[in-house]
């Protein structure tokens, strides 16, 4: 449209609400909030077009701190609330803020179904591998054997891998970042926002009160180059301080190899975020530090697919094309009727 | 116009009740529906009661698999599907065994003789064949070889035996149509529409229908035909309508009258699923139907849709409502408008999914954590669903709060004639949204989502509107700003406000109608689907000279303001309910009036006789 008024230039501060942020000092959530506010003005959307929906948990206080529309809903249900909102108003950009407990435990069902419908939602899952708001019970991503208040002898349930779950639910966009890697985090939030369809972003987030250091291996200056691997589309999987290690496929299994000594870059696994089959993304989502692998960060998968919020409205349009806009008097008088004089 | 031949008599009767029953695969619901529509088209007042098993296909021929459909049709206004049956069609021994008790002495019994073989009799628990052992002597028994006659009738159409046998319900229909002097035309039109693409099936059903009709006309044993004159109903154009359809159409109307998109978030559950089915057919009315992954997603998507500015509705039954409980608290505290429909069924737990009950009233009133009052409205019958649900949305959107809407399985699947309204005659539902603001303006003030109007309603500010950005949530809100507040006095205040909003509705609803004198010996107080049997029983009592009146509640929370005065005008109050006394308990609690109950939880509606008996016992 030619008469469109230019958008006012917004700054990160314009996205801060007037509410005091009440996370514990040192919480990883602050970093995610800061990056979100930084990314917002770059999206080209006015504030009123943005909605943040959350469930329950520390992460779910997020909407209160954003000067956009928002709802702090109930435990685990944010994807479903967002589904109703986005179906009615596909023009709004909708973010779902959740955590490992909210998203994968009590709300696992909704998360899975929102993803498989490919609703145009940006789901950010703050993974701190612990229940913070209820003061320190183990979560669905806590490692086996994790000792907490509710598991004094160690957790005996296997942890879920959020990205594996998302990919299993046919996610069209899957990414991972780390709270302290702010540049990377900002980039991933932008990529999630750009994706049309469900964008699922896992953020390794430190709970310095109940699970301090859960991601230390991935954030420590000394070790992070060895324990993480930054994915780049079309590039080989290389990591290490000296970029001398890589991931190679051995049959269907990945293995860590050292470059040189007869192994060239071309022998390595190349990343393809646009692969129509999710096998590679799934394989990457299974690479765990405790199994001797660097953990990938970046975009695992980004493919185009039809979106529920589009289709539900397309069907209405299609029905209106077929039957007109709907005349209730006609409907009421359809079928067998009779007159009483 | 009569089809009676000289050898046959035509008897005029005021009303009649017919029940078709057979195996769930025998097409009894179809037979019942066709007979209902035909009777309605003939101008009778009709009331129906379909009754089917929870299993889609219970083992064939067993008692558990018996499906029935009862139609009461009359030349007068009627309010129930009838207590006892004048004519019973039983397609197999199991159907006879489970339904015979409702056939009146001297009633007509039409059975498919061919189904009374050794296996069929055994499955129904008969040691001897009731058609031959004299046990049916007090009825006008017509034992007809339906299977054989249908196979003969469709011979040459190239149908397999199984396909031929599937036409038996049309034979039974034809015979009953003849018996009650009904035209075949509506059913012939139905066959054409329904089976037009399968001409051999259409031909076969037509042949079976006519064979049944001709059988009645020809066989000497059936010597009387019955005729029920058209009823005198208020003038207008009518159609027959089922409760769930009327409810869905009422929602469509409410959306148009309030100029809203309609969003339904639902998870399939008996007996509410037909609301989802019906609305899904009408997407061109700007209807979004979302079949959610579960009941919780159904209600929370509804909350999201309401936030987004739609007319948002969720529909379920008791077990589903139980799952929605927490989210309903969110709906109450966020003060968003939406309609929560509960088509009640037998409970607890999965209970009796296909049977009716009124046992979720307390659930609607109290089934949430915290002080969480909700407005509760109940429909009284199939056609009333259309209007009552519009009222629910009017109140919900006006006061900015969720409204509970109760019906039950009996209302949902029952049908009755409905005088077709004109959309232009229905009252508009005015909804206002706050307008956008310029956040760059000097005098811009942060939008406060919990400011209130005279009715304590907060503004419905819709995402996408510039300058109204705000956050809602499940934590307690400071009145005005809507910010999270743990302030003790504020929590008390907000609790009071949420209650007051419900209470204020009492000023906005009609006075309670009293059928009969405003004072007397006994007031029968009812709600929901028991309307028909209660009003009929009260009419009978009044005719017998008793000082009995009837009030039927549409508004249960809040009650009409004049209800207490009415209750106090009677020496006794009787509250018949298909539960163990839930409304009675609320009435006693609210007014300290010692109301008596007539309570039944058998998955069946009240018969008029049951209520009459209780009335006679009390006065």
């Amino acid at each position: 449209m030619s008469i469109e008024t230019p958008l006012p230039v917004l700054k990160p501060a314009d996205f801060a609400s007037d509410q005091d942020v009440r996370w514990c000092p040192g919480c990883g959530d602050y970093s995610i909030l800061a990056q979100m506010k930084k990314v917002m003005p770059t999206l080209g959307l006015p504030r009123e077009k943005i909605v943040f929906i959350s469930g329950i948990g520390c992460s779910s206080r997020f909407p209160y701190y954003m000067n956009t529309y928002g709802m702090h809903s109930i435990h685990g249900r944010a994807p479903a609330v967002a589904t109703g909102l986005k179906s009615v108003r596909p023009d709004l950009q909708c973010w779902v803020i959740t955590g490992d407990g909210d998203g994968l435990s009590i709300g696992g069902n909704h998360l899975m179904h929102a993803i498989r419908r490919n609703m145009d939602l940006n789901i950010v899952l703050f993974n701190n591998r612990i229940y913070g708001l209820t003061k320190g019970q183990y979560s669905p991503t806590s490692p086996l054997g994790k000792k907490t208040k509710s598991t004094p002898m160690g957790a005996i349930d296997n942890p879920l891998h959020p990205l594996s779950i998302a990919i299993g639910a046919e996610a069209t966009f899957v990414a991972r970042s780390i709270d302290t890697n702010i540049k990377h985090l900002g980039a991933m939030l932008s990529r999630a926002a750009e994706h049309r369809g469900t964008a699922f972003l896992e953020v390794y987030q430190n709970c310095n009160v109940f699970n301090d250091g859960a991601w230390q291996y991935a954030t420590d200056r000394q070790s992070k180059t060895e324990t993480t691997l930054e994915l780049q589309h079309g590039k080989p999987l290389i990591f290490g301080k000296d970029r001398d290690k890589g991931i190679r496929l051995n049959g269907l299994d990945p293995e860590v190899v050292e470059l040189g000594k007869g192994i060239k870059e071309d022998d390595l696994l190349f990343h393809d975020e646009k692969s129509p089959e999710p096998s590679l993304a799934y394989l990457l989502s299974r690479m765990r530090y405790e199994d001797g692998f660097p953990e990938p960060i970046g975009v695992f998968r980004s493919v185009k697919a039809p979106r529920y919020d589009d289709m539900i409205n397309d069907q209405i349009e299609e029905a209106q094309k077929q039957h007109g806009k709907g005349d209730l008097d006609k409907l009421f008088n359809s079928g067998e009727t009779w007159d009483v004089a | 116009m009569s089809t009676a031949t000289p050898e046959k008599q035509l008897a005029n009767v005021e009303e009649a009740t017919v029940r078709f029953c057979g195996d769930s695969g025998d097409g009894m619901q179809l037979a019942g529906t066709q007979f209902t529509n035909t009777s309605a088209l003939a101008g009778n007042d009709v009331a129906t009661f379909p009754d089917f098993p929870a299993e889609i296909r219970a083992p064939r021929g067993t008692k558990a698999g018996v499906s029935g459909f009862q139609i009461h049709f009359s030349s007068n206004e009627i309010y129930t599907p009838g207590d006892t049956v004048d004519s019973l069609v039983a397609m197999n021994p199991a159907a006879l065994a489970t339904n015979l008790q409702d056939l009146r002495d001297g009633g007509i019994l039409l059975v498919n003789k061919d189904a009374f073989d050794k296996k069929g009799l055994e499955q129904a628990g008969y040691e001897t064949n009731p058609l031959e052992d004299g046990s049916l002597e007090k009825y006008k028994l017509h034992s007809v070889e339906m299977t054989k006659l249908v196979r003969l009738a469709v011979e040459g159409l190239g149908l397999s035996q199984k396909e031929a046998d599937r036409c038996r319900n049309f034979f039974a229909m034809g015979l009953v149509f003849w018996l009650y002097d009904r035209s075949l035309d509506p059913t012939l039109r139905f066959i054409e529409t329904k089976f037009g693409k399968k001409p051999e099936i259409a031909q076969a059903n037509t042949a079976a229908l006519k064979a049944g009709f001709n059988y009645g006309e020809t066989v000497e044993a059936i010597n009387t035909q019955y005729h029920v004159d058209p009823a005198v109903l208020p003038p207008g154009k009518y159609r027959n309508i089922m409760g769930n359809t009327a409810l869905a159409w009422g929602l469509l109307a409410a959306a148009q009258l309030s100029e809203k998109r309609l969003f339904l978030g639902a998870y399939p559950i008996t007996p509410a699923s037909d609301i989802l089915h019906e609305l899904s057919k009408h997407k061109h009315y700007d209807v979004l139907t979302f079949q959610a992954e579960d009941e919780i997603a159904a209600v929370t998507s509804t909350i999201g849709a309401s936030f987004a500015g739609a007319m948002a509705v969720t529909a379920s039954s008791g077990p589903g409502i139980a799952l929605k409980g927490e989210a309903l608290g969110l709906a109450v505290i966020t003060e968003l408008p939406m309609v929560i429909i509960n088509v009640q069924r037998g409970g607890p737990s999965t209970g009796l999914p296909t049977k009716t009950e009124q046992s979720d009233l307390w659930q609607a009133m109290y089934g949430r954590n915290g002080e969480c009052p909700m407005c509760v409205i109940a429909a009284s019958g199939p056609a009333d669903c259309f209007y009552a649900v519009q009222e629910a949305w009017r109140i919900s959107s006006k006061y900015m709060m969720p409204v509970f809407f109760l019906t039950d399985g009996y209302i949902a699947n029952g049908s009755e004639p409905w005088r077709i309204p004109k959309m232009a005659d229905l009252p508009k539902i005015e909804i206002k949204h706050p307008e956008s603001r310029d956040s760059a303006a000097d005098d811009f003030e942060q939008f406060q989502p919990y400011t209130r109007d005279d009715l304590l309603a907060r503004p419905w500010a819709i995402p996408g509107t510039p300058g109204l950005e705000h956050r809602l949530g499940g934590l307690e809100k400071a009145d005005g700003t809507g910010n999270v507040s743990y302030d003790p006095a504020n929590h008390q205040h907000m609790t009071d406000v949420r209650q007051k909003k419900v209470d204020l509705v009492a000023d906005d609803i009609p006075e309670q109608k009293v059928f009969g004198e405003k004072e007397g010996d006994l007031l029968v107080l009812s709600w929901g689907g028991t309307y028909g049997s209660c009003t009929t029983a009260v009419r009978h009592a009044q005719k017998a000279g008793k000082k009995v009146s009837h009030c039927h509640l549409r508004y249960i929370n809040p009650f009409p303001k004049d209800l207490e005065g009415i209750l106090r005008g009677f020496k006794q109050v009787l509250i018949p309910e298909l539960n163990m006394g839930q409304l009675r308990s609320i009435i006693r609690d609210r007014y300290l009036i010692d109301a008596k109950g007539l309570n039944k939880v058998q998955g069946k509606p009240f018969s008029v006789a049951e209520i009459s008996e209780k009335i006679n016992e009390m006065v």
Side-chain angles (χ1 to χ4, degrees), chain A residues 68-69 313 325 334 338 340, chain B residues 236 238-239 261 284 465 471:
Chain A
T68 61
Y69 284 94
N313 285 289
K325 282 217 165 168
S334 64
W338 70 95
V340 173
Chain B
Y238 282 78
R239 64 174 301 132
R261 305 194 83 181
H284 55 300
T465 319
R471 276 66 57 194

Side-chain angles (χ1 to χ4, degrees), chain A residues 42-117:
Chain A
T42 69
L43 301 178
L45 281 171
R47 276 192 307 233
E48 69 268 15
K49 289 279 191 188
I50 300 167
V51 188
F52 281 85
I53 312 258
S54 64
I56 295 291
C58 295
S59 60
S60 287
R61 299 297 176 97
F62 202 94
Y64 288 125
Y65 308 136
M66 296 296 297
N67 189 14
T68 61
Y69 284 94
M71 189 189 291
H72 175 215
S73 77
I74 46 174
H75 211 3
R77 319 304 170 198
V81 174
T83 295
L85 177 121
K86 185 76 185 175
S87 295
V88 173
R89 288 293 300 270
D91 60 314
L92 302 175
Q93 185 183 69
C94 191
W95 294 79
V96 171
I97 305 296
T98 185
D100 39 319
D102 186 66
L104 294 171
S105 199
I106 194 166
N109 195 30
H110 309 304
L111 187 77
M112 171 171 87
H113 287 279
I115 291 174
R116 68 142 170 134
R117 291 187 187 108

Side-chain angles (χ1 to χ4, degrees), chain B residues 70-284:
Chain B
Q70 183 167 319
I71 315 111
H72 183 195
F73 50 106
S74 173
S75 53
N76 292 310
E77 266 189 76
I78 48 167
Y79 304 93
T80 78
D83 282 10
T84 56
V85 173
D86 299 308
S87 294
L88 180 70
V89 180
M91 300 300 282
N92 67 11
L96 181 68
T98 47
N99 286 277
L100 187 63
Q101 76 280 356
D102 294 330
L103 182 63
R104 68 168 168 82
D105 290 356
I108 296 167
L109 178 58
L110 300 167
V111 298
N112 177 16
K113 187 180 175 186
D114 294 327
F116 284 68
D117 56 8
K118 190 160 170 281
K119 190 182 170 205
L121 291 167
E122 261 171 30
Q123 277 179 309
Y126 283 117
E127 283 171 9
T128 57
N129 189 341
L131 307 183
E132 292 160 4
D133 64 9
S135 62
L136 302 173
E137 260 176 6
K138 60 178 172 180
Y139 308 109
K140 290 181 193 138
L141 171 66
H142 301 292
S143 180
V144 186
E145 293 170 301
M146 292 191 199
T147 308
K148 189 177 140 198
L149 291 169
V150 167
R151 285 180 192 170
L152 283 171
V154 304
E155 217 172 39
L157 292 173
L159 265 60
S160 69
Q161 190 163 300
K162 205 173 151 192
E163 286 171 323
D165 288 351
R166 247 189 242 142
C167 305
R168 281 182 302 216
N169 57 339
F170 281 91
F171 183 94
M173 265 186 258
L175 181 49
V176 177
F177 282 172
W178 178 83
L179 189 64
Y180 284 99
D181 192 26
R182 292 282 179 240
S183 161
L184 295 183
D185 293 343
T187 301
L188 290 171
R189 286 199 295 272
F190 164 81
I191 291 173
E192 182 56 36
T193 327
K194 175 94 179 173
F195 302 107
K197 284 180 189 154
K198 294 177 185 162
E200 69 286 352
I201 303 287
Q203 276 177 37
N205 285 332
T206 305
L209 182 73
K210 288 184 173 167
F213 191 89
N214 294 338
Y215 181 89
E217 200 164 64
T218 316
V219 167
E220 284 177 12
I222 309 177
N223 57 12
T224 309
Q225 237 186 332
Y226 300 90
H227 181 83
V228 177
D229 279 333
V232 183
L233 297 171
K237 196 167 181 189
Y238 282 78
R239 64 174 301 132
N240 194 44
I241 200 156
M242 279 173 65
N244 272 346
T245 312
L247 177 44
W249 291 7
L251 292 170
L252 292 174
Q256 278 202 358
L257 293 165
S258 57
E259 297 179 4
K260 283 282 165 202
R261 305 194 83 181
L262 176 59
F263 177 92
L264 175 79
Y267 185 77
I269 184 168
T270 303
S273 303
D274 282 337
I275 300 167
L276 170 64
H277 303 159
E278 182 63 25
L279 288 179
S280 298
K281 287 196 285 197
H282 301 298
K283 291 183 194 293
H284 55 300

Side-chain angles (χ1 to χ4, degrees), chain B residues 37 105 110 113 162 189 256 299 338 371 401 416 424 455 467 477 587 589:
Chain B
N37 287 342
D105 290 356
L110 300 167
K113 187 180 175 186
K162 205 173 151 192
R189 286 199 295 272
Q256 278 202 358
V299 65
M338 69 199 74
E371 290 291 338
M401 60 184 186
E416 63 184 356
L455 298 172
K477 305 276 166 286
I587 291 284
D589 170 36

Side-chain angles (χ1 to χ4, degrees), chain A residues 17-19 22 47-49 51 53 61 63-64 66-75 77 80-85 87-90 92 109-110 113-114 116-117 308 312-313 315-316 319-320 323-329 331-341, chain B residues 40-41 189 233-240 249 252-253 256 261 282-291 293-294 296-297 300-301 303-305 307-308 310 326-327 330 386 417-418 420-423 439 446 462-466 468-475 483-484:
Chain A
S17 78
D18 59 354
Q19 296 297 292
R22 294 195 188 172
R47 276 192 307 233
E48 69 268 15
K49 289 279 191 188
V51 188
I53 312 258
R61 299 297 176 97
Y64 288 125
M66 296 296 297
N67 189 14
T68 61
Y69 284 94
M71 189 189 291
H72 175 215
S73 77
I74 46 174
H75 211 3
R77 319 304 170 198
V81 174
T83 295
L85 177 121
S87 295
V88 173
R89 288 293 300 270
L92 302 175
N109 195 30
H110 309 304
H113 287 279
R116 68 142 170 134
R117 291 187 187 108
Y308 188 97
I312 192 173
N313 285 289
Q315 285 196 343
I316 292 175
Q320 289 179 337
H323 310 292
K325 282 217 165 168
D327 174 351
L328 281 174
D329 286 314
L331 174 67
F332 299 162
N333 285 282
S334 64
E336 305 270 12
T337 60
W338 70 95
D339 288 300
V340 173
Chain B
L41 285 170
R189 286 199 295 272
L233 297 171
K237 196 167 181 189
Y238 282 78
R239 64 174 301 132
N240 194 44
W249 291 7
L252 292 174
Q256 278 202 358
R261 305 194 83 181
H282 301 298
K283 291 183 194 293
H284 55 300
Y285 291 86
D286 203 12
V287 175
L288 299 128
T289 53
F290 172 57
Q291 181 176 315
E293 57 271 22
D294 60 25
I296 299 171
T300 45
S301 64
I303 292 170
F307 186 36
E326 186 197 10
L330 179 67
F386 178 78
W418 177 53
I420 301 169
K422 289 193 177 68
M423 278 302 289
S439 54
Q446 198 70 37
I462 303 174
T465 319
L468 303 182
E469 293 82 6
H470 65 282
R471 276 66 57 194
L472 299 175
L475 288 169
N483 291 330
V484 173

Side-chain angles (χ1 to χ4, degrees), chain A residues 224-296:
Chain A
K224 67 181 181 186
T225 49
E226 304 298 321
T227 59
T228 62
L229 184 159
E230 197 170 329
L231 295 171
Q232 280 174 317
H233 179 59
K235 298 279 168 61
L237 271 65
I238 295 176
F239 68 103
K241 199 166 118 226
D242 303 318
R243 297 190 61 76
D244 56 350
K245 298 195 194 87
I247 303 293
R248 184 174 71 173
L249 263 196
N250 180 6
L252 289 175
D253 300 318
E255 62 179 3
V256 174
V257 291
E258 284 190 28
L259 286 169
K261 299 174 193 166
I263 298 178
K264 302 184 298 292
E265 275 191 23
D266 280 355
D267 298 326
L268 298 180
L269 184 57
F270 277 64
H271 184 46
D272 178 8
E273 64 185 37
K274 299 190 188 319
S275 170
E277 276 304 310
S279 317
L280 170 63
Y282 185 74
L283 177 146
L284 296 173
S285 78
R286 302 283 302 170
M287 283 168 44
R288 310 299 303 178
Y289 165 65
E290 66 241 37
D291 299 330
F293 288 101
E295 297 188 354

Side-chain angles (χ1 to χ4, degrees), chain B residues 389-471:
Chain B
V389 81
Q390 291 175 50
E391 178 67 348
W393 176 240
R394 179 187 74 84
I395 290 171
S396 177
S397 55
K398 185 168 173 182
Y399 293 82
M400 284 293 283
M401 60 184 186
V403 171
F404 239 114
F405 187 73
L406 299 179
T407 76
D408 59 46
Y410 173 73
I411 294 175
N413 291 317
S415 60
E416 63 184 356
W418 177 53
R419 188 152 64 120
I420 301 169
K422 289 193 177 68
M423 278 302 289
D425 296 340
L426 298 174
K428 292 254 183 288
I429 300 170
E430 300 281 350
I431 296 176
K432 283 206 182 96
H433 298 285
E435 283 171 15
S436 61
R437 302 159 169 220
D438 180 4
S439 54
D442 291 342
D443 59 349
F444 177 76
E445 279 176 22
Q446 198 70 37
F447 173 66
Q448 300 204 347
Y450 279 74
T451 50
R452 300 182 182 282
D453 65 12
D454 298 346
L455 298 172
L456 300 179
R458 65 173 199 86
W460 191 2
I462 303 174
T465 319
L468 303 182
E469 293 82 6
H470 65 282
R471 276 66 57 194

